[in-house]
């Protein structure tokens, strides 16, 4: 039996040629419009160009390095002069330390807090330099105009807490404890109390600027602030109870300025709206 007999082959000869695959008819090719190809190419591109993303990350890193450098400089200055300004912070109160390591921990904590507060204007400026190109014109103009005012209001709020809220609430609470106990205040607890009665007030004094900003972008109106005035007062009462020590004096000292600032915000927003109406008329 011939293994190479036609139709009965079990083995293939090296001389045998492979059958060529059938050609695809020309009619099977469909001409694709160029517009569709361009759309597919655009769809495959990332939403944010890689070069632009890297440029933004580089700029952000640059601003962060500058902010970190300013913070370290202020930290060194504050830590090296701690014996000079420390009596002004403690106001002559007798404070106790519960261990040798607590001294280092306390000095580091208070130096970090003050250094961060002193470097805050520079950090805000660096942040402003980073986000400014991505802001709308009205947002950029508003923040550029009111950024110094925000800093002044923050310092006024901190000063209000330091000179009024903190000494009154501290004396009130210590006098209550002295009735039945020998009051000994640790340095850490005193600093925690001092920060709690100053920094939140600095943030609360930013309320008029926040209201003006929301009004400038069309989110808030004077009429809407009047409608929710009652609920706002309740929210401010709860907020004052949260951020202040658990005594009525401190809560009242914080609540009254908050109400005044809310009413000032309504007046400022209404005035801005009146000017916008006059300018468009």
């Amino acid at each position: 039996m011939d293994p190479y007999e036609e139709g009965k082959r079990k083995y293939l000869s090296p001389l045998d040629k492979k059958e060529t695959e059938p050609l695809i008819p020309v009619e099977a090719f469909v001409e694709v419009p160029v517009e569709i190809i361009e759309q597919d190419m655009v769809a495959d591109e990332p939403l944010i160009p890689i070069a632009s993303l890297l440029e933004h990350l580089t700029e952000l890193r640059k601003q962060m390095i500058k902010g970190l450098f300013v913070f370290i400089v202020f930290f060194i200055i504050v830590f090296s002069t701690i014996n000079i300004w420390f009596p002004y912070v403690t106001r002559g109160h007798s404070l106790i330390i519960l261990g040798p390591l607590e001294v280092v921990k306390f000095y580091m904590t208070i130096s970090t807090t003050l250094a961060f507060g002193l470097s805050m204007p520079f950090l805000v400026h660096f942040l402003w330099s980073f986000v400014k190109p991505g802001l709308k014109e009205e947002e950029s103009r508003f923040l550029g105009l009111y950024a110094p005012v925000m800093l002044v209001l923050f310092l006024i709020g901190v000063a209000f807490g330091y000179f009024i809220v903190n000494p009154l609430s501290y004396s009130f609470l210590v006098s209550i404890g002295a009735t039945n106990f020998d009051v000994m205040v640790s340095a850490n607890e005193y600093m925690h109390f001092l920060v709690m009665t100053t920094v939140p007030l600095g943030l609360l004094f930013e309320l008029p600027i926040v209201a003006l900003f929301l009004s400038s972008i069309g989110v808030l109106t004077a009429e809407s602030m009047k409608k929710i005035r009652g609920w706002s007062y309740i929210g401010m009462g709860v907020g004052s109870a949260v951020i202040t020590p658990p005594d009525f004096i401190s809560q009242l000292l914080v609540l009254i300025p908050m109400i005044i600032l809310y009413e000032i915000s309504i007046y400022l927003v209404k005035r801005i709206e009146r000017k916008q109406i006059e300018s468009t008329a």
Side-chain angles (χ1 to χ4, degrees):
M1 179 177 176
D2 186 6
Y4 293 100
E5 186 179 351
E6 189 67 27
K8 298 180 180 181
R9 295 182 178 183
K10 295 182 180 181
Y11 304 99
L12 294 178
S13 171
L15 300 178
D16 291 338
K17 296 181 180 179
K18 296 182 180 180
E19 296 182 357
T20 59
E21 296 180 357
L23 299 176
I24 301 175
V26 180
E27 292 78 5
F29 292 96
V30 179
E31 184 177 357
V32 181
V34 179
E35 293 79 5
I36 297 179
I37 298 177
E38 292 179 351
Q39 290 178 2
D40 293 339
M41 294 176 64
V42 173
D44 294 337
E45 295 180 358
L47 296 177
I48 302 177
I50 301 299
S52 177
L53 180 60
L54 292 177
E55 183 180 353
H56 282 76
L57 292 177
T58 303
E59 181 64 21
L60 178 60
R61 184 184 64 177
K62 177 182 176 181
Q63 301 299 334
M64 291 178 63
I65 292 175
K66 290 166 62 177
L68 180 61
F69 176 77
V70 173
F71 171 78
I72 293 176
V73 170
F74 275 112
F75 178 84
I76 295 174
I77 295 174
V78 170
F79 190 82
S80 60
T81 59
I82 192 170
N83 292 327
I84 299 175
W85 51 262
F86 189 71
Y88 297 97
V89 175
T90 60
R91 300 176 185 273
H93 298 305
S94 298
L95 306 179
I96 62 173
I97 291 292
L98 302 179
L101 295 180
E102 288 291 327
V103 178
V104 179
K105 181 180 178 181
F106 175 76
Y107 283 170
M108 293 293 292
T109 301
I110 190 174
S111 298
T112 302
T113 303
L114 290 179
F116 182 77
L118 292 174
S119 60
M120 181 63 69
F122 299 91
L123 299 178
V124 172
H125 175 72
F126 297 150
L127 180 62
W128 160 252
S129 301
F130 173 72
V131 303
K132 183 179 179 180
L135 296 177
K136 297 180 180 179
E137 183 180 356
E138 60 272 12
E139 296 173 349
S140 178
R141 184 171 59 250
F142 180 90
L143 293 178
L145 179 63
Y146 286 98
V149 181
M150 295 174 64
L151 176 60
V152 172
L153 289 177
F154 179 80
L155 295 178
I156 292 175
V158 171
F160 176 78
Y162 178 78
F163 291 105
I164 297 178
V165 177
N166 178 264
L168 291 178
S169 58
Y170 182 86
S171 301
F172 176 75
L173 293 175
V174 170
S175 63
I176 292 178
T179 305
N180 299 308
F181 307 97
D182 293 330
V183 179
M184 293 185 296
V185 182
S186 66
N188 286 329
E189 288 295 328
Y190 178 81
M191 286 307 304
H192 176 72
F193 182 80
L194 179 62
V195 172
M196 187 173 59
T197 53
T198 53
V199 177
L201 289 176
L203 299 176
L204 289 176
F205 271 62
E206 306 284 349
L207 179 61
I209 304 300
V210 174
L212 287 176
F213 177 74
L214 295 177
S215 175
S216 65
I217 61 177
V219 177
L220 193 66
T221 62
E223 192 63 28
S224 62
M225 294 182 69
K226 291 180 181 179
K227 289 181 180 180
I228 61 173
R229 177 183 280 149
W231 291 105
S232 299
Y233 287 174
I234 295 175
M236 286 186 288
V238 174
S240 63
V242 171
I243 66 176
T244 57
D247 65 282
F248 178 75
I249 300 295
S250 300
Q251 296 173 10
L252 188 62
L253 289 174
V254 173
L255 181 60
I256 292 176
M258 290 176 65
I259 294 176
I260 296 174
L261 290 172
Y262 188 84
E263 296 299 327
I264 293 175
S265 301
I266 294 178
Y267 170 76
L268 293 176
V269 171
K270 188 174 181 180
R271 185 175 178 180
I272 294 296
E273 292 175 350
R274 189 183 301 114
K275 286 185 177 181
Q276 291 177 350
I277 295 175
E278 293 176 354
S279 61
T280 56

